[in-house]
Amino acid sequence: VAEEAAAAAAAAARRHHHSGIIHSSIHSMFSEQKMTDKHIPRGVPQLLRLGSSASYTTMCTYNADTRDYEDHTFSGIMFDVKAKTLMPVKYIEIHAIWVRGRLGPIQVFMTSDTFYHKQNDPRRWRRIHDADHSPSPMELYPLPLDPPVQLRPGESVGIYVHSSLPGDQAIVYNNQRSMETHNDSFLTIYPGLAHTSRHAFDPTGFWGNTSWRRRREFVGRISFGAKFLLWTQANHQHFPQSFQKAVEAALRACRHPPPASSSVKNKTKGGRLSSLALTAASSSSSSSSSSSSSTVSSESSSPSSPSLPSVHILGGY
């Protein structure tokens, strides 16, 4: 993919070499976090119109399944979810929460940041699910969220799942066993509070004392999708280290082509990479030394990633 992209960029650079459009548009593109067609000069190839994030909301659906020891059942569970910063995503979108138990009339609420010190204040919560469900004591049952909950990397949200079914068998939950209920590449689920009142946010419990039980864990599943970032120089630091190194190696290979020899050509698949390198070298040699100096100067002043040679490479200079 890197070879084909570089080949297309080099061909585009040859077509527009004398107009000077390519270098200026790419430098502008890498200097902006957001890029739209109105910012790009006319005539720039589609390959170089780099967006910063995917045009689709979610590409895949992921499931975060928690431990299930069935330690307790009662009316509700309240916990925090935090989006991690490991993956190159613009946001994750939680679209369903799965639980099991006798269920009944269930509501799901969310609050920004955390549930701490909010458990008795319904004004600080937003309802995102409200429906009556049939019992599902053995199998997890989905509760679709409307609207879905979006979390950017580093953001967190408090979730409260509650049933008004009489009795103490509505929702299954666990005792806390660790500092994290679930941890994957996208999100972390934390322990929270169980609720022993069939009335949402009611501070008085089933036995007349406090209704909240500390050190409890959510049992179930969180289904979510992710809107991934697309690679640009501005987004480079958001990608995993291994991916960053691969991009830098590919771009430097194009910037410093191998010598024009048949042995080098024979070592590449079909000679495509060597041909591309020769073309890039030929195009580079036709530029004046003063033009090269100004290009390097503009590159070093870019705040995004001064060590990355992509402005040179994709521009064909």
Side-chain angles (χ1 to χ4, degrees):
V1 173
E3 290 178 15
E4 294 174 356
R14 293 197 304 273
R15 290 196 299 271
H16 297 274
H17 177 72
H18 298 292
S19 67
I21 290 177
I22 298 298
H23 175 265
S24 62
S25 64
I26 293 176
H27 183 73
S28 172
M29 192 167 6
F30 287 156
S31 300
E32 299 291 335
Q33 287 285 350
K34 296 182 179 180
M35 195 68 195
T36 59
D37 287 344
K38 67 180 181 180
H39 298 122
I40 304 176
R42 185 175 300 174
V44 175
Q46 183 67 28
L47 174 66
L48 302 179
R49 299 173 181 266
L50 300 179
S52 61
S53 60
S55 59
Y56 42 80
T57 301
T58 58
M59 183 179 73
C60 301
T61 296
Y62 304 88
N63 291 323
D65 288 356
T66 66
R67 299 179 287 260
D68 188 348
Y69 297 102
E70 196 175 354
D71 293 328
H72 303 281
T73 58
F74 230 112
S75 298
I77 185 71
M78 187 178 285
F79 57 96
D80 286 343
V81 179
K82 184 173 184 178
K84 301 179 73 171
T85 58
L86 295 178
M87 301 297 288
V89 297
K90 187 173 183 180
Y91 59 78
I92 63 171
E93 185 174 271
I94 301 173
H95 53 81
I97 292 179
W98 302 58
V99 294
R100 69 183 184 91
R102 301 297 296 173
L103 303 184
I106 288 185
Q107 299 180 88
V108 180
F109 302 86
M110 61 83 63
T111 185
S112 59
D113 298 328
T114 180
F115 72 84
Y116 282 102
H117 309 298
K118 301 178 183 178
Q119 63 266 33
N120 297 323
D121 190 357
R123 297 170 300 177
R124 303 178 69 179
W125 295 77
R126 180 183 181 185
R127 187 168 56 195
I128 52 178
H129 178 87
D130 185 5
D132 198 345
H133 300 283
S134 301
S136 183
M138 303 304 296
E139 299 293 331
L140 292 175
Y141 190 89
L143 311 174
L145 306 184
D146 184 19
V149 177
Q150 288 188 3
L151 291 175
R152 293 180 178 273
E155 292 183 343
S156 60
V157 63
I159 300 292
Y160 175 32
V161 183
H162 181 269
S163 171
S164 58
L165 185 75
D168 62 356
Q169 298 181 353
I171 295 174
V172 174
Y173 57 90
N174 281 344
N175 290 326
Q176 179 180 341
R177 284 175 166 79
S178 65
M179 297 302 294
E180 298 172 346
T181 303
H182 171 86
N183 192 341
D184 61 31
S185 298
F186 293 93
L187 56 79
T188 303
I189 304 174
Y190 294 96
L193 303 173
H195 199 201
T196 62
S197 172
R198 61 184 295 257
H199 304 289
F201 302 103
D202 185 2
T204 304
F206 185 79
W207 298 278
N209 56 356
T210 178
S211 61
W212 301 103
R213 294 291 181 267
R214 298 179 181 274
R215 298 179 58 83
R216 299 296 188 260
E217 290 184 342
F218 166 69
V219 168
R221 174 182 302 157
I222 293 181
S223 296
F224 63 96
K227 183 167 186 177
F228 286 90
L229 295 174
L230 302 180
W231 185 90
T232 65
Q233 185 166 342
N235 289 337
H236 183 68
Q237 70 275 13
H238 297 301
F239 284 78
Q241 286 292 328
S242 57
F243 186 90
Q244 293 183 33
K245 292 178 180 179
V247 170
E248 293 165 7
L251 294 178
R252 289 195 176 95
C254 293
R255 184 177 185 180
H256 303 292
S261 64
S262 58
S263 61
V264 173
K265 184 173 182 178
N266 291 336
K267 291 180 181 180
T268 62
K269 185 179 180 180
R272 285 196 305 165
L273 188 55
S274 294
S275 301
L276 169 61
L278 293 175
T279 303
S282 175
S283 175
S284 176
S285 64
S286 64
S287 302
S288 65
S289 59
S290 60
S291 172
S292 299
S293 299
S294 64
T295 303
V296 172
S297 175
S298 65
E299 231 185 272
S300 62
S301 63
S302 171
S304 302
S305 181
S307 64
L308 208 58
S310 53
V311 174
H312 269 305
I313 304 314
L314 294 181
Y317 290 93

